Amino acid sequence: MIPTELQQLWKEVTSSHTAEEIASNNHSSLDLSTTCVSSSAPSKTSLIINPHASTNGQLSVHTPKRESLSHEEHSHSHPLYGHGVCKWPGCEAVCEDFQSFLKHLNNEHALDDRSTAQCRVQMQVVQQLELQLAKDKERLQAMMTHLHVKSTEPKATPQPLNLVSSVTLSKTASEASPQSLPHTPTTPTTPITPVIQGPSVITTTSMHNVEPIRRRCPNKYNVAISSADLAQNQEFYKNAEVRPPFTYASLIRQAILESPEKQLTLNEIYNWFTRMFAYFRRNAATWKNAVRHNLSLHKCFVRVENVKGAVWTVDELEFQKRRPQKISGNPSLIKNIQTSHTYCTPLNAALQASMADNSIPLYTTASMGNPTLGNLANAMREDLNGAMEHTNSNESDSSPGRSPMQAMHPVHVKEEPLDPDENEGPLSLVTTANHSPDFDHDRDYEDEPVNEDIE
DNA sequence: AACCTCATAAACAAGA
DNA sequence: TTCTTGTTTATGAGGT
């Protein structure tokens, strides 16, 4: 790739005025696999995408010398530098001072295939986020308009004004839209209009199946979650009602291993689930049953009688014994990974995951001021890199620490049957969107729906 | 096609 | 009696 190509792409991205325009942009379906294997164009020129330049559509292409004279560097601040760490996607190299950062930037992130591909991916991230922002703005406008109309229009049919009416607002609005997609109780933040598909392999519609389909994340299984994995996504999963792409067994194990004494009571495991995952703050009866079921079923979970009752511990040996899963999935997707794995796909996967997920409006909202996207992307990147290592090593890697597809799979969203008692989708948007990161950890989440409405 | 893993549902028992 | 905890079985989806 050459700088002009990037410039052109960047201009197209930033000059798009509406979501529709962006969506109709051919580049929204860029094939990263081709992007990343483009002919090498070694250059000493480093290319800096300045996020602040997005307002005027400028793409800065600097030579190292020019770069050293840029404004940011004079002020010793740089969008790609903070807290002594290089913030280039996937880098995080520690740079003790600004000068060493500059040196690092010029050495490690020069204009080469890798950097340009990363730029391209970042562009797509930005593009998708802007697209989503436009959609959310539109929705907000519609909601406000709707509320205004509602509040001013004469009440022809007097109905009890309760939570239901407000809760169902977005639902009715959604239903009114011909483009609306079916809702499921667990997809409360479904956009009123479908997310326009960019390069994502996952279609939005596929995420909105009315049927109570239990989706499986083929390679999330037998995954030993590292603390780092979870920590990086922690804020995301704490706030977004997104099913974590890990098995119950992995999550239980993680819960137990995170405890100081490496042992937890059942109730403490429950609390960990609800504390760490917004997703598990609902349908408690279901997942709690699953937790108990898993504890009993898997040999790797050992029940130990304690002074304070029974606690559960993990038998690591047994856990490791479990059969590893092989990489699988859409062949073309895999091909994409394989051709672009080291620096393209992880971010793209993160993008896909975040964009494909039903909770994307929430996600975008929640991510304001939170580095959740970055964290997610980083986690995905790490996972995917691990996955590629896994694949390349002929799957002989017995380390269960990483699951190949775990990184590229969309964030797992359970689709549940429409249960009249659980029909809380729209409300969940509210509760979750308003959910504070400082979640009350000790609160015990009971089976009762967040919202006891609804008809 | 057979087998496996996993999620989910549900029945049941024991104990607080 | 009710709830929690724990065990077990069954079923279906999806992958190998």
Side-chain angles (χ1 to χ4, degrees):
Chain A
M1 180 171 333
I2 55 175
T4 52
E5 189 181 345
L6 270 176
Q7 276 183 294
Q8 174 66 23
L9 178 60
W10 183 249
K11 279 179 182 172
E12 288 174 17
V13 168
T14 55
S15 64
S16 298
H17 297 297
T18 67
E20 288 70 23
E21 286 173 21
I22 295 174
S24 63
N25 188 325
N26 287 337
H27 289 290
S28 63
S29 57
L30 281 170
D31 182 1
L32 286 172
S33 64
T34 59
T35 304
C36 301
V37 295
S38 60
S39 62
S40 62
S43 166
K44 292 172 184 170
T45 310
S46 64
L47 182 143
I48 308 296
I49 301 273
N50 184 348
H52 305 311
S54 63
T55 51
N56 55 15
Q58 292 296 313
L59 176 74
S60 308
V61 180
H62 299 289
T63 63
K65 283 190 176 179
R66 275 199 59 198
E67 187 182 356
S68 65
L69 297 172
S70 72
H71 170 72
E72 288 104 348
E73 291 150 17
H74 277 305
S75 59
H76 276 213
S77 68
H78 195 287
L80 290 172
Y81 182 62
H83 299 98
V85 172
C86 174
K87 291 185 171 179
W88 188 279
C91 179
E92 296 180 5
V94 176
C95 305
E96 291 184 357
D97 53 35
F98 194 73
Q99 289 305 318
S100 57
F101 160 71
L102 289 178
K103 188 179 278 184
H104 162 81
L105 191 64
N106 291 328
N107 289 339
E108 302 298 323
H109 307 303
L111 181 59
D112 54 14
D113 282 355
R114 176 190 160 100
S115 297
T116 51
Q118 287 174 323
C119 274
R120 198 153 189 165
V121 172
Q122 187 66 23
M123 283 179 194
Q124 291 188 316
V125 170
V126 171
Q127 181 179 337
Q128 290 288 354
L129 287 175
E130 286 178 344
L131 175 62
Q132 195 57 46
L133 178 63
K135 285 289 176 190
D136 276 332
K137 279 181 177 175
E138 194 177 331
R139 177 161 56 167
L140 174 62
Q141 189 61 47
M143 291 167 72
M144 293 174 74
T145 304
H146 178 70
L147 286 172
H148 179 70
V149 170
K150 276 266 176 183
S151 62
T152 54
E153 74 183 1
K155 292 183 172 66
T157 52
Q159 289 181 345
L161 183 62
N162 53 19
L163 270 177
V164 177
S165 57
S166 58
V167 155
T168 51
L169 271 177
S170 62
K171 184 176 183 179
T172 52
S174 165
E175 284 166 350
S177 166
Q179 290 178 300
S180 66
L181 295 164
H183 283 76
T184 68
T186 50
T187 57
T189 54
T190 300
I192 291 174
T193 51
V195 175
I196 295 161
Q197 293 302 302
S200 174
V201 177
I202 305 104
T203 65
T204 306
T205 48
S206 71
M207 308 298 286
H208 295 268
N209 202 323
V210 188
E211 296 296 313
I213 294 173
R214 285 176 292 196
R215 293 180 184 282
R216 291 189 63 192
C217 196
N219 295 79
K220 70 180 182 181
Y221 301 112
N222 203 14
V223 177
I225 315 166
S226 72
S227 295
D229 286 335
L230 261 184
Q232 289 190 336
N233 295 296
Q234 189 170 320
E235 286 305 312
F236 176 74
Y237 287 119
K238 267 186 181 176
N239 297 297
E241 283 192 41
V242 172
R243 188 192 185 102
F246 305 104
T247 61
Y248 281 112
S250 296
L251 291 171
I252 294 167
R253 172 184 172 273
Q254 182 65 19
I256 294 171
L257 293 185
E258 273 190 12
S259 66
E261 299 175 15
K262 307 282 182 267
Q263 56 180 37
L264 288 179
T265 65
L266 179 64
N267 199 45
E268 287 169 338
I269 295 173
Y270 288 162
N271 291 337
W272 184 87
F273 270 67
T274 51
R275 189 173 73 240
M276 302 297 288
F277 303 98
Y279 178 84
F280 291 118
R281 287 166 204 155
R282 51 196 349 229
N283 300 318
T286 297
W287 66 258
K288 283 181 177 178
N289 187 20
V291 166
R292 292 194 304 272
H293 168 74
N294 273 264
L295 284 169
S296 290
L297 194 67
H298 298 300
K299 287 180 186 174
C300 57
F301 300 120
V302 183
R303 186 173 175 273
V304 178
E305 289 288 346
N306 202 342
V307 277
K308 62 174 183 178
V311 292
W312 290 92
T313 61
V314 179
D315 183 342
E316 273 300 306
L317 237 66
E318 279 294 332
F319 188 86
Q320 310 290 349
K321 273 186 194 173
R322 296 158 69 214
R323 202 181 80 166
Q325 300 280 303
K326 292 180 180 178
I327 190 167
S328 66
N330 186 333
S332 62
L333 198 55
I334 293 171
K335 188 187 173 192
N336 269 4
I337 308 167
Q338 288 169 340
T339 52
S340 60
H341 60 93
T342 47
Y343 41 87
C344 282
T345 311
L347 264 177
N348 194 36
L351 180 63
Q352 287 175 11
S354 57
M355 287 304 171
D357 188 80
N358 294 326
S359 299
I360 188 64
L362 162 71
Y363 173 79
T364 52
T365 307
S367 61
M368 298 297 181
N370 286 329
T372 48
L373 177 62
N375 287 345
L376 186 66
N378 285 338
M380 297 293 186
R381 183 186 306 114
E382 286 187 3
D383 282 349
L384 194 84
N385 286 340
M388 297 317 299
E389 289 167 17
H390 184 88
T391 308
N392 293 339
S393 61
N394 202 22
E395 301 168 6
S396 59
D397 181 9
S398 61
S399 165
R402 291 280 191 256
S403 171
M405 291 296 288
Q406 155 190 349
M408 54 178 289
H409 195 278
V411 179
H412 192 113
V413 176
K414 175 186 147 193
E415 315 236 359
E416 286 154 311
L418 287 164
D419 180 349
D421 294 332
E422 285 280 347
N423 192 3
E424 56 191 301
L427 181 65
S428 272
L429 168 66
V430 177
T431 55
T432 312
N434 290 338
H435 173 68
S436 163
D438 301 317
F439 191 77
D440 180 4
H441 294 177
D442 298 326
R443 180 183 158 188
D444 203 11
Y445 295 87
E446 299 305 331
D447 296 6
E448 60 184 28
V450 180
N451 162 33
E452 317 70 354
D453 44 13
I454 285 175
E455 291 127 350

